[in-house]
Amino acid sequence: MVADAQNPLRGILFKVISVVIFVAMQVCIKSAGTGIPAGQITFYRSAFGIVPIVLYLSVLGQLWPAFHTSSIFGHFKRGVLGIMSMAFGFYGLIHLPLPEAIAIGYAGPLMAVVFAALILKETVRVYRWTAVLIGIVGVLVVSWPKLTLLRDGGFASEQALGAIAVLCAAVLAGLAMVQVRQLVQTEKTATIVLYFSLTGALLSLASLPFGWVSLPWSSFLLLIAAGLCGGVAQIFLTESYRFADVSTVAPFDYTSIILGIAVSYLMFADVPTATTLIGTAITVSAGIFIIYREHRLGLERKAARRASSTAN
């Protein structure tokens, strides 16, 4: 299918659909229960996420070409980082209210900016650094009430560990994003998605000897549904970038917090705290500013290229 960047409304629609399905995936995982090891959850998410992706690539006639790669080690590194991030994130999702887990997870794109500067040597100017620092402050506003519970025991300490786990997931997600930026220089999107799913299933299966639990049918079906939702959401996310620029659709990631608050209240009776709402507003504002700056810089680069070609 040829990309069509002239249909932004379709791109936005696909992005919002992907966000809704990703939230449904998180709800399935949270509803499955608290006693399931993160590695076991990660396996179901990865293994059953492969199913819709394989079907999608088969319909497009891109399945076998997607297996061709010139950077198998790069895919392995991306898989390790992504699966570790996923496992930490799922642990935090189980032990935190859904809106807080989502809000703390917003630190991932902020960390990607930091790692892109440190690892890829990308130029990050004062505006983006300022936005990153403000965004991290917002994440800390959400996290801090949980982190101060470490001195307590029982459920309180579980929530603190959950917050730490989601923060670790965000750091690893930032590193994974940097690895993806390196992979896209030589690899097709379908190849990256397929190898991540395959690597994730194999790596998470290695956690089997470390204490998987026997699942009741309800949890088993919920985890299968979570995997299928994850795969379908990935397809819609990929398709959204066929019809609109990244800077156009990226802000709609933040609709997940609205859905998370609504679903968490209706299904789990979780009422967001004032610190969660304030911290989320700070982080979202910083994230949108970074996206805006990227968009402006992109326009400036295009204008400079046009001017250069005209002069020649």
Side-chain angles (χ1 to χ4, degrees):
M1 183 181 295
V2 178
D4 178 9
Q6 304 304 315
N7 198 337
L9 289 179
R10 180 175 292 186
I12 291 169
L13 175 62
F14 284 175
K15 177 69 171 184
V16 171
I17 291 173
S18 77
V19 169
V20 171
I21 301 174
F22 272 129
V23 171
M25 178 197 77
Q26 293 172 312
V27 170
C28 287
I29 291 170
K30 194 166 181 63
S31 300
T34 59
I36 307 171
Q40 188 172 1
I41 297 173
T42 305
F43 171 76
Y44 280 90
R45 160 62 182 91
S46 301
F48 287 94
I50 295 173
V51 176
I53 291 172
V54 167
L55 291 174
Y56 167 71
L57 293 176
S58 297
V59 169
L60 294 180
Q62 297 178 3
L63 180 59
W64 294 119
F67 281 99
H68 177 73
T69 177
S70 59
S71 182
I72 192 67
F73 183 64
H75 288 291
F76 178 75
K77 286 194 295 182
R78 188 267 186 272
V80 170
L81 291 168
I83 290 306
M84 289 175 63
S85 173
M86 200 182 289
F88 276 114
F90 290 159
Y91 179 89
L93 179 62
I94 290 172
H95 293 95
L96 286 176
L98 183 58
E100 294 182 16
I102 292 174
I104 298 172
Y106 287 155
L110 302 176
M111 297 308 301
V113 175
V114 176
F115 292 134
L118 296 176
I119 299 172
L120 301 180
K121 307 302 180 184
E122 291 184 3
T123 301
V124 179
R125 295 182 173 83
V126 65
Y127 291 105
R128 275 197 292 169
W129 278 125
T130 302
V132 167
L133 291 174
I134 292 172
I136 290 174
V137 168
V139 170
L140 289 176
V141 169
V142 178
S143 309
W144 193 251
K146 304 302 179 187
L147 298 179
T148 56
L149 295 176
L150 276 171
R151 63 178 177 268
D152 301 321
F155 181 66
S157 63
E158 287 185 354
Q159 288 207 347
L161 292 174
I164 292 172
V166 178
L167 286 171
C168 290
V171 172
L172 291 164
L175 288 169
M177 290 178 197
V178 170
Q179 181 61 30
V180 170
R181 288 190 190 183
Q182 293 176 315
L183 283 172
V184 295
Q185 303 301 317
T186 58
E187 303 293 293
K188 299 186 292 291
T189 299
T191 302
I192 296 171
V193 171
L194 182 61
Y195 273 98
F196 173 63
S197 299
L198 292 171
T199 305
L202 292 173
L203 290 177
S204 54
L205 184 62
S207 67
L208 176 60
F210 298 96
W212 283 22
V213 297
S214 178
L215 297 175
W217 273 104
S218 58
S219 297
F220 178 69
L221 293 175
L222 282 167
L223 291 183
I224 290 177
L228 295 173
C229 283
V232 172
Q234 188 66 55
I235 292 169
F236 276 104
L237 178 63
T238 303
E239 283 295 300
S240 72
Y241 296 120
R242 291 182 184 273
F243 299 101
D245 295 333
V246 173
S247 59
T248 300
V249 300
F252 291 88
D253 263 326
Y254 297 112
T255 58
S256 61
I257 192 64
I258 300 171
L259 286 171
I261 290 173
V263 171
S264 189
Y265 177 75
L266 293 173
M267 295 189 63
F268 307 109
D270 290 329
V271 179
T273 62
T275 53
T276 298
L277 295 175
I278 293 170
T280 300
I282 294 171
T283 304
V284 169
S285 298
I288 291 176
F289 180 77
I290 290 174
I291 294 164
Y292 171 75
R293 282 293 299 169
E294 290 291 331
H295 179 60
R296 294 300 305 172
L297 290 172
L299 292 178
E300 290 172 8
R301 285 191 289 267
K302 288 179 181 178
R305 285 196 296 269
R306 283 198 297 267
S308 176
S309 61
T310 302
N312 292 333

